[in-house]
């Protein structure tokens, strides 16, 4: 490839600028860099989708550097106090943590809704609901406990949960509803999804904890088990819970420092708001189409400008 004199001069000039310092002797800031934003990333693909799009917009459209930190939910909140976390971008309730870090320690603030509605419940594959129509009422679960026995459930029916750090009342529910079941933790979202897919493909009995938004519901059918209806305060004592989960208006939590000094980065996080369908689409890119977070975010951003443009801070 032949280069023009102008191109050669440009390359030489750029090389000469590497390692340049300011008058104070400090390294000169890179062009467009506005500082670093520390994003917590909790271990489920829906959260990863939120974080991927926010990271992409912060870096590509606003010129920030983003550090993503893979952390469990409660550990993420501790980062507000240590300064290691600027933002949690999908919070599922956690009134106890809000009380500690927002009201008492005053190191965090609520940055508004994500636009997503979070739903947690118990599910069986649709084929089981078709074959055993009354299985979707919790009152009949003991009748079917034998179907759900596994090597890990100790002679009882198995209720399969995901990562132990997820929001769950399942052990209390099993005890307080006097169900002949044992909660078994798969360890991760991926393992939970794999078990659900196998239960459908191989017609294996499975009772499992799951949630929305989630791309899996767009691919396969599962029937939700009706638990005693949720009423305000029925889950106030974690040990006495005997009711279904509430719907969660998912929100974003940021450090007080980030809210006060984060400028355009904070404004973008605060303005971020999309639908369950938006999130599920990016989650599908990440999980089923082999895309990296940057590739998935770039594709979604390219195709949904009308959605994300209003998130951008004024003047950006």
């Amino acid at each position: 490839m032949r280069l023009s004199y102008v191109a050669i001069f440009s390359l030489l000039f750029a090389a000469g600028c590497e390692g340049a310092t300011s008058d104070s002797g400090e390294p000169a800031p890179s062009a467009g860099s506005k500082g670093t934003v520390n994003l917590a990333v909790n271990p489920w693909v829906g959260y990863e989708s939120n974080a991927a799009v926010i990271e992409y917009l912060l870096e590509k459209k606003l010129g920030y550097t983003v550090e993503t930190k893979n952390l469990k939910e409660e550990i993420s909140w501790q980062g507000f106090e240590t300064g290691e976390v600027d933002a949690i971008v999908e919070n599922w309730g956690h009134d106890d943590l809000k009380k500690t870090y927002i009201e008492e320690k005053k190191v965090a603030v609520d940055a508004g809704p994500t636009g997503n509605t979070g739903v947690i419940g118990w599910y069986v594959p649709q084929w089981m609901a078709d074959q055993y129509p009354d299985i979707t009422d919790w009152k009949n679960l003991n009748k079917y406990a034998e179907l759900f026995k596994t090597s890990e459930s100790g002679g009882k029916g198995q209720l399969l949960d995901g990562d132990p750090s997820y929001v769950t009342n399942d052990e209390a529910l099993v005890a307080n509803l006097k169900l002949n079941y044992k909660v078994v933790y798969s360890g991760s979202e991926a393992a939970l999804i794999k078990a659900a897919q196998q239960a459908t493909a191989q017609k294996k009995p499975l009772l499992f904890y799951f949630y929305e938004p989630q791309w899996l519901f767009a691919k396969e059918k599962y029937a939700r088990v009706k638990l005693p209806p949720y009423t305000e305060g029925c889950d106030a004592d974690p040990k006495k819970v005997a009711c279904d989960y509430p719907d969660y208006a998912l929100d974003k939590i940021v450090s007080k420092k980030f809210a006060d000094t984060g400028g355009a980065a904070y404004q973008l996080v605060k303005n971020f708001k999309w639908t369950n369908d938006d999130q599920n689409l990016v989650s599908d890119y990440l999980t089923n189409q082999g895309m990296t977070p940057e590739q998935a975010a770039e594709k979604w951003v390219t195709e949904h400008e009308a959605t994300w443009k209003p998130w951008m801070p004024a003047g950006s």
Side-chain angles (χ1 to χ4, degrees):
M1 181 177 70
R2 303 178 72 176
L3 296 175
S4 68
Y5 288 116
V6 173
I8 292 170
F9 176 79
S10 297
L11 289 170
L12 290 173
F13 179 78
C17 287
E18 280 193 359
T21 60
S22 65
D23 292 340
S24 65
E26 294 296 319
S30 59
S33 177
K34 293 183 179 178
T36 299
V37 178
N38 297 301
L39 281 187
V41 179
N42 294 162
W44 59 88
V45 72
Y47 188 116
E48 292 164 10
S49 298
N50 288 24
V53 170
I54 290 172
E55 177 182 8
Y56 184 87
L57 292 172
L58 284 171
E59 292 194 333
K60 306 300 183 183
K61 303 298 183 183
L62 295 180
Y64 287 87
T65 298
V66 177
E67 293 286 343
T68 55
K69 303 184 177 187
N70 295 315
L71 300 167
K72 304 286 189 181
E73 289 172 88
E74 189 163 349
I75 302 300
S76 300
W77 287 74
Q78 294 172 16
F80 294 140
E81 194 167 21
T82 63
E84 295 175 81
V85 171
D86 292 319
I88 290 171
V89 296
E90 184 173 284
N91 170 58
W92 285 67
H94 291 300
D95 290 340
D96 55 337
L97 296 176
K98 285 184 175 180
K99 182 178 180 182
T100 298
Y101 292 95
I102 296 178
E103 297 177 22
E104 296 173 358
K105 296 188 175 183
K106 301 186 187 305
V107 294
V109 298
D110 190 320
T114 66
N116 300 123
T117 298
V119 178
I120 296 175
W122 294 0
Y123 295 86
V124 294
Q126 185 60 45
W127 71 263
M128 292 198 79
D130 294 339
Q131 189 167 333
Y132 311 102
D134 63 346
I135 203 170
T136 56
D137 186 332
W138 73 271
K139 294 175 183 176
N140 300 316
L141 285 178
N142 280 343
K143 182 168 73 171
Y144 295 105
E146 191 78 20
L147 287 176
F148 298 107
K149 281 185 181 179
T150 70
S151 59
E152 296 178 270
S153 62
K156 298 181 177 183
Q158 174 181 275
L159 169 58
L160 189 66
D161 272 39
D163 186 315
S165 72
Y166 289 175
V167 172
T168 176
N169 300 325
D170 287 358
E171 291 186 12
L173 282 166
V174 165
N176 295 328
L177 296 178
K178 297 180 171 52
L179 297 176
N180 188 29
Y181 285 77
K182 178 182 177 181
V183 177
V184 175
Y185 293 93
S186 65
S188 69
E189 180 181 64
L192 195 58
I193 290 173
K194 183 177 180 180
Q197 290 175 320
Q198 287 179 341
T200 295
Q202 301 171 18
K203 288 210 164 182
K204 292 170 59 176
L206 181 69
L207 174 65
F208 66 109
Y209 161 107
F210 212 53
Y211 42 85
E212 298 181 64
Q214 232 302 329
W215 60 265
L216 185 62
F217 285 109
K219 303 288 185 181
E220 296 174 2
K221 290 186 177 180
Y222 301 92
R224 186 171 177 180
V225 174
K226 293 180 182 177
L227 295 171
Y230 176 84
T231 56
E232 189 70 32
C234 70
D235 55 354
D237 185 339
K239 294 180 181 178
K240 295 181 179 178
V241 178
C243 59
D244 209 342
Y245 293 87
D247 287 352
Y248 296 90
L250 306 186
D251 56 9
K252 300 151 293 184
I253 310 295
V254 301
S255 74
K256 180 70 164 58
K257 181 180 178 182
F258 184 59
D260 290 342
T261 66
Y266 167 66
Q267 288 301 319
L268 173 65
V269 172
K270 185 179 180 182
N271 293 344
F272 171 86
K273 191 174 183 180
W274 64 357
T275 67
N276 284 16
D277 286 342
D278 289 319
Q279 188 188 95
N280 287 341
L281 185 57
V282 178
S283 296
D284 186 54
Y285 295 158
L286 291 171
T287 307
N288 303 312
Q289 299 189 35
M291 295 186 191
T292 65
E294 182 173 345
Q295 289 169 337
E298 181 178 27
K299 180 174 174 58
W300 186 87
V301 165
T302 299
E303 296 174 357
H304 296 82
E305 185 172 349
T307 301
W308 62 262
K309 268 289 187 181
W311 308 341
M312 303 303 285
S316 60

